[in-house]
Amino acid sequence: MSAGLDPRLLARAREVVADTTGFRDDAIAQDAVERVLRAELARGRVPTEVLSELQQLGSPLAYTLVRAVLVGETYFFRQPEHFRYIAQEGIPSALRHGAMHLRGWSAGCATGEEAYSLAACLLACAPPGMPVEVVGTDLHEASLEAARRGTYGAWSRRESAPALHPVYELLNGRQVSILPEVRKVTRFAPANLLAPLPERFGHFDFILCRNVLTYFSPSARDAAIVHLARSLAPGGLMFLGTVEVDRTPPGLTREGPPELQAFRKPRPEERTFAQLPVAQPVVTPRMTPTPRRLSAPMPASPTPPPSPPPSPARLHLQALERIEEGNVAGATAVLELLVKQAPDYLPGLLELALLRERAGARDAAFPLMRALRTRAGQLPPDALVDGPEALPARFYLASADAYLNLGALE
C-alpha cells in the first residue's frame, strides 16, 4: 500500500508518531499512517510541504497522525479483578491508615469507561461523606470529549466484565448514561504519559494504566512507569495490564499474585523499617558426640514410594519464583513442562504465552493464547480456575481476547 509514497515522508511520519506517543515501531499501524498522508496529498499538497509540517511535533498534521494510530479499545469494568482488589483490599487499607479522601487516575482513559468504573468503585466503597475524585487523561482530545458526554452503547458493556458497582442508567433501548453522582466526581484532561503529570493534579491512591504501555517501546514504557509511580501517594496502588511489565517497577512492591499486575508505593514508615539492619543470630558452639559402634548392622530401611508428580499449581509457583529471580530460561523450562503435562491448566498457558511475548517470540505466544481462549470459552464465565490465585474463567478469556485483538490491530 505504500507504493507511490515518498519513503522520507513515510519514515518521518512514523518518527512523529513514535516521538509523540512512545509507541514502538511495530505497534504503529502502517495503514493508518498511509491513509493520513494520502489524504494530505489528495488535497493538492506536495510531499515537501507535508514533510516540512511534520518537522513540528505539535503541528495539526502531527496531531492527525497520532489520532489515527491511537487504539481506543475499552469498556466498563474491564479486568474486574482489579476493581475487586481495590474494593476488598485497597480501600480498606487506605482507611486503616487514616485516609481523608480517595483519589484515582485512569491514565490513557480513551473514551472514559475505565475512569467512570473506577469512580463508581470508589463511591460504592467509601464511607458516607468521604470525598472521592477520579481524573481520566488521554492524548486524544476527541476521545476525551466522548468521555465528558458520558453516553455509551452496547460495545462499552461486555459479558466478560460484570457491572460490579452502579455506574450508568438506561437512556433508551440501546444506550446508557453515566449516573450523575459518578459523573460529578470524574473529570477529564489531556496528558501525555511520556511527561510527568502536572503537579496541580496532586497524588493518587489508585492508578489504572492498563493495555496502554503494551504499545510502547521499552524506553518509553520505563519512562511512563516512572511518571506514574511519582504520582502515587504513599501506600497507593498502581495496576498495569497483563502483558505490559515483567518486573516490579523501581520503588514499588508487588501486591497479590503476579498476574494481578498490582504494585504499591511503600509508606515512609515501611521504607524506614526495611532499611533497619537485621540482627544476626548468635551461633553457640555445640559438642559433636562420638558415634557409638553398633554390634550388629541396622536393618535396611524400606524403599520409600515414589513421590507424586507436583501439581500444576506447584509447578506454576516454581516458574514464578524463577521469574522473580530473573531466571527466564529456568522459568520457561518449567512452564513448558507444565503445559505439556496439564494442557488444560489455563494459568500455565497464559504464563508461558506472556513469557514468550516478553522474549520477543510472538509467533510462539499466539498459539498458546488461541488455546487459552478456546479452553476458557468452554467454561462458565464465573467458574473459578485453580492456580496461584483462584480467578474466574472470564479473566483468562478476556486476557486472551485482549492479546489476540492487539495482534490483529498490528
Side-chain angles (χ1 to χ4, degrees), residues 117-255:
S117 298
L118 180 56
C121 178
L122 300 185
L123 280 174
C125 301
M130 172 172 278
V132 168
E133 181 187 15
V134 171
V135 176
T137 64
D138 200 88
L139 264 178
H140 191 192
E141 184 59 44
S143 293
L144 295 175
E145 284 300 319
R148 294 183 185 107
R149 286 194 296 271
T151 303
Y152 300 94
W155 185 247
S156 298
R157 295 167 283 157
R158 311 287 176 87
E159 291 184 1
S160 61
L164 299 176
H165 306 286
V167 63
Y168 51 71
E169 58 188 352
L170 191 63
L171 186 63
N172 51 47
R174 301 174 56 185
Q175 290 187 309
V176 296
S177 179
I178 298 300
L179 291 169
E181 58 268 30
V182 177
R183 188 190 297 267
K184 182 179 179 181
V185 301
T186 312
R187 62 190 175 107
F188 297 93
N192 191 331
L193 293 177
L194 297 183
L197 195 65
E199 292 185 3
R200 68 176 183 275
F201 287 97
H203 291 83
F204 300 93
D205 304 293
F206 305 100
I207 295 177
L208 301 182
C209 185
R210 291 118 32 102
N211 310 298
V212 177
L213 304 181
T214 301
Y215 306 94
F216 281 30
S217 68
S219 59
R221 179 198 59 208
D222 293 345
I225 289 176
V226 169
H227 298 321
L228 290 165
R230 285 177 179 168
S231 292
L232 267 180
L237 287 168
M238 177 170 69
F239 297 85
L240 302 177
T242 306
V243 299
E244 292 179 326
V245 295
D246 57 358
R247 62 183 62 87
T248 302
L252 305 183
T253 60
R254 186 181 290 278
E255 289 286 301

Side-chain angles (χ1 to χ4, degrees), residues 68-375:
V69 303
L70 288 178
V71 180
E73 168 69 3
T74 183
Y75 47 91
F76 292 109
F77 296 108
R78 187 180 189 180
Q79 292 180 258
E81 65 280 1
H82 287 168
F83 297 99
R84 290 194 179 99
Y85 195 87
I86 290 171
Q88 297 168 7
E89 303 290 339
I91 294 176
S93 175
L95 297 179
R96 285 195 303 270
H97 287 85
M100 303 300 291
H101 52 69
L102 296 175
R103 303 190 73 241
W105 176 20
S106 171
C109 67
T111 46
E113 291 92 329
E114 179 183 86
Y116 286 128
S117 298
L118 180 56
C121 178
L122 300 185
L123 280 174
C125 301
M130 172 172 278
V132 168
E133 181 187 15
V134 171
V135 176
T137 64
D138 200 88
L139 264 178
H140 191 192
E141 184 59 44
S143 293
L144 295 175
E145 284 300 319
R148 294 183 185 107
R149 286 194 296 271
T151 303
Y152 300 94
W155 185 247
S156 298
R157 295 167 283 157
R158 311 287 176 87
E159 291 184 1
S160 61
L164 299 176
H165 306 286
V167 63
Y168 51 71
E169 58 188 352
L170 191 63
L171 186 63
N172 51 47
R174 301 174 56 185
Q175 290 187 309
V176 296
S177 179
I178 298 300
L179 291 169
E181 58 268 30
V182 177
R183 188 190 297 267
K184 182 179 179 181
V185 301
T186 312
R187 62 190 175 107
F188 297 93
N192 191 331
L193 293 177
L194 297 183
L197 195 65
E199 292 185 3
R200 68 176 183 275
F201 287 97
H203 291 83
F204 300 93
D205 304 293
F206 305 100
I207 295 177
L208 301 182
C209 185
R210 291 118 32 102
N211 310 298
V212 177
L213 304 181
T214 301
Y215 306 94
F216 281 30
S217 68
S219 59
R221 179 198 59 208
D222 293 345
I225 289 176
V226 169
H227 298 321
L228 290 165
R230 285 177 179 168
S231 292
L232 267 180
L237 287 168
M238 177 170 69
F239 297 85
L240 302 177
T242 306
V243 299
E244 292 179 326
V245 295
D246 57 358
R247 62 183 62 87
T248 302
L252 305 183
T253 60
R254 186 181 290 278
E255 289 286 301
E259 61 266 23
L260 190 65
Q261 292 288 60
F263 306 94
R264 187 169 65 89
K265 176 176 282 190
R267 294 180 173 85
E269 63 271 19
E270 293 171 324
R271 289 195 294 269
T272 301
F273 179 80
Q275 292 167 358
L276 291 176
V278 179
Q280 298 298 319
V282 177
V283 180
T284 304
R286 299 178 58 188
M287 298 298 293
T288 303
T290 303
R292 181 166 54 90
R293 185 179 299 278
L294 300 177
S295 57
M298 294 288 290
S301 301
T303 302
S307 301
S311 67
R314 181 62 223 163
L315 280 174
H316 192 174
L317 287 172
Q318 291 178 12
L320 293 176
E321 290 169 0
R322 286 165 171 75
I323 291 174
E324 290 292 337
E325 296 166 356
N327 183 3
V328 176
T332 302
V334 172
L335 289 170
E336 288 175 345
L337 175 64
L338 170 56
V339 169
K340 181 178 180 181
Q341 291 183 353
D344 292 326
Y345 178 69
L346 304 187
L349 288 169
L350 179 60
E351 199 74 58
L352 183 55
L354 297 181
L355 202 61
R356 287 177 171 170
E357 163 68 23
R358 292 165 191 150
R362 178 164 290 189
D363 289 344
F366 265 94
L368 292 165
M369 285 294 190
R370 284 193 289 267
L372 177 65
R373 182 168 63 179
T374 298
R375 288 170 168 80

